[in-house]
Amino acid sequence: MSLWQRALKRLQAMSYDKLLAYGNAKGDRIYAERRTYRFRLNSLKSFVSLFLVGTVLSVALAACSGGTANNSSSETPSATPVAATKDNVELTLVSFAVTKAAHEAIIPKFVEQWKKDHNQTVVFKQSYGGSGSQTRAVIDGLEADVVHLALAGDTSKIEKAGLIQPGWEKEVPNNGIVSKSVAALVTRPGNPKGIKTWQDLSKDGIKLITADPKTSGVARWNFLALWNSVIKTGGDDAKATEFVTKVYKNVPLLTKDAREATDAFFKQGQGDALINYENEIILAEQKGEKLTAIIPDVNISIDNPIAVVDKNVDKHGTREVAEGFVKYLYTPEAQQEFAKLGFRPVDDTLTLSKEVADKFPKVKTLGTVADFGGWDGINKKFFADGAIFDQIQAKKK
């Protein structure tokens, strides 16, 4: 066997082993080229032979790649933000339904700022829906770069699916919470049924509209607000179960998400009362709706987290811009937009401002997720298959 034949055999063996390991012809060529430098070129004959071999091998590997010689790849893709070298970069935001108006106000401001700072145009793809449904969509393959969901429990599900790295809530301020609200009760004009407190929702003859906790993060907050109203006033789990069961017997239908619940109440005229985010009520008023709304003194802090989907941003090469967008959402400019559209800001300076204080009534007794053991405990106790919510629904049949 001649020198060039023996060299070809050695290089082919290395390349094919690496091809099986990476499945990426371009990356294999880099590996083969690096390994080739280890050969000692002891003679002009061996140099020429290896040069010819390298040429043949490069052509063969290019053929394996389908002729896409200009594709960019790396053995450590997370270390090379491919999108940062492009004039335009696409970012996919997946969020829960009621944030749509806020993001549509914030995104153009971020795009303008990013263009100014990085000379790069960011094009957003946006998806809005019930938080639970959005969570499942991301886990099932919707390639979100950033997720803004109704509750941290949904973000944790994406983490457990291997798409978000543990510790995501520590990567940004406020434990990952970027928007906040409280629960509100909305009644028909003039409040003909005299609904003033949570307890009134359990009375006979009251029809309540709310979303389904199985598909909507907002609806889980609604459920917790009802449960919390008993616990924070001295009741135990038995009394809370009894009360919440009575309330859900007064629910004629469970909508898929909070936006559908709002539409059912306002556009379709269903129900005597609606539980929804305070921010949804404010947004409806801004659109000209004349509402009678109550913010109960005993309430629940509705905290909405933001997170970068690590696996997807590394795949897309969008980590830098995704992290930049998340960081921007905590700026006073972005928080001001959240506040304008009814979300209680997480920025302390804004929270203490007269404008915000006048807009958002104080809540005397505010429950938190921590009061109920965190979302893992909440989901297991209330929303898992066969848990308290399913038991309550079964009693309605």
Side-chain angles (χ1 to χ4, degrees):
M1 184 181 293
S2 66
L3 175 62
W4 74 268
Q5 288 174 319
R6 289 195 297 273
L8 175 61
K9 187 173 182 180
R10 287 196 297 270
L11 285 172
Q12 286 176 325
M14 285 191 298
S15 299
Y16 293 155
D17 288 344
K18 200 65 178 176
L19 184 62
L20 289 172
Y22 283 91
N24 184 302
K26 180 80 172 179
D28 298 341
R29 184 172 63 196
I30 293 170
Y31 174 87
E33 288 168 355
R34 290 176 180 171
R35 292 294 298 269
T36 301
Y37 296 148
R38 298 184 182 181
F39 287 93
R40 293 188 177 184
L41 305 181
N42 294 321
S43 66
L44 178 61
K45 180 177 179 180
S46 62
F47 173 80
V48 173
S49 299
L50 290 174
F51 176 77
L52 292 173
V53 169
T55 301
V56 171
L57 183 57
S58 295
V59 172
L61 289 173
C64 291
S65 68
T68 55
N70 293 325
N71 288 348
S72 177
S73 66
S74 170
E75 291 180 60
T76 55
S78 62
T80 306
V82 178
T85 66
K86 299 177 182 178
D87 292 334
N88 298 320
V89 57
E90 185 176 271
L91 201 68
T92 299
L93 168 67
V94 173
S95 191
F96 62 109
V98 300
T99 63
K100 187 174 187 290
H103 281 302
E104 287 181 342
I106 293 169
I107 284 172
K109 294 178 182 293
F110 169 74
V111 169
E112 180 181 1
Q113 187 65 48
W114 189 265
K115 179 69 173 179
K116 179 181 177 181
D117 294 343
H118 299 270
N119 195 30
Q120 186 180 50
T121 300
V122 185
V123 178
F124 276 81
K125 290 177 65 178
Q126 303 170 59
S127 173
Y128 299 93
S131 188
S133 299
Q134 294 290 74
T135 299
R136 286 190 293 274
V138 172
I139 292 172
D140 291 342
L142 177 56
E143 294 190 357
D145 296 297
V146 176
V147 287
H148 183 189
L149 299 172
L151 43 94
D154 284 345
T155 312
S156 294
K157 291 177 183 178
I158 299 176
E159 175 192 331
K160 290 175 182 177
L163 299 176
I164 295 176
Q165 292 298 316
W168 56 270
E169 64 271 36
K170 303 301 181 184
E171 298 295 324
V172 290
N174 204 38
N175 286 322
I177 304 304
V178 75
S179 58
K180 298 175 69 174
S181 193
V182 295
L185 290 176
V186 187
T187 70
R188 294 299 171 193
N191 195 6
K193 294 293 182 75
I195 299 169
K196 297 179 181 179
T197 68
W198 295 114
Q199 291 297 322
D200 291 333
L201 298 177
S202 66
K203 293 179 179 178
D204 293 339
I206 299 294
K207 296 299 180 186
L208 172 68
I209 302 299
T210 184
D212 187 347
K214 289 289 190 177
T215 58
S216 168
V218 176
R220 294 194 178 195
W221 288 115
N222 294 349
F223 182 98
L224 286 179
L226 293 165
W227 190 275
N228 180 73
S229 71
V230 176
I231 301 300
K232 289 294 185 181
T233 53
D236 57 14
D237 279 8
K239 289 184 178 180
T241 301
E242 180 183 2
F243 167 67
V244 174
T245 299
K246 288 181 179 179
V247 171
Y248 276 92
K249 284 183 178 180
N250 288 341
V251 177
L253 78 161
L254 291 168
T255 62
K256 184 176 65 175
D257 58 43
R259 181 53 50 80
E260 286 190 6
T262 301
D263 289 345
F265 185 78
F266 290 113
K267 295 181 180 180
Q268 300 169 23
Q270 299 187 47
D272 304 303
L274 168 75
I275 307 178
N276 213 329
Y277 276 6
E278 176 187 47
N279 63 277
E280 275 287 272
I281 308 312
I282 292 173
L283 183 60
E285 290 175 333
Q286 290 174 353
K287 291 180 177 180
E289 296 281 355
K290 294 182 179 180
L291 306 178
T292 301
I294 303 107
I295 306 298
D297 285 340
V298 179
N299 218 306
I300 191 83
S301 180
I302 299 172
D303 302 332
N304 318 130
I306 191 88
V308 169
V309 185
D310 296 288
K311 186 172 182 179
N312 292 340
V313 297
D314 289 341
K315 176 181 177 181
H316 302 156
T318 53
R319 177 174 288 279
E320 182 183 10
V321 67
E323 291 179 346
F325 176 62
V326 169
K327 182 178 179 180
Y328 183 81
L329 293 179
Y330 286 93
T331 64
E333 293 79 11
Q335 285 294 308
Q336 185 67 49
E337 293 299 329
F338 276 121
K340 286 179 183 177
L341 292 163
F343 287 95
R344 297 190 174 215
V346 298
D347 182 273
D348 290 338
T349 303
L350 283 177
T351 300
L352 296 173
S353 69
K354 185 177 185 304
E355 179 184 359
V356 170
D358 290 344
K359 188 170 188 174
F360 301 104
K362 290 184 178 180
V363 174
K364 292 181 180 179
T365 305
L366 192 66
T368 68
V369 167
D371 295 338
F372 299 99
W375 279 110
D376 284 343
I378 288 170
N379 287 330
K380 182 178 180 180
K381 180 175 182 177
F382 298 115
F383 306 121
D385 290 344
I388 289 176
F389 179 74
D390 281 351
Q391 294 169 21
I392 289 172
Q393 288 299 96
K395 293 177 183 178
K396 291 175 60 176
K397 298 177 179 178

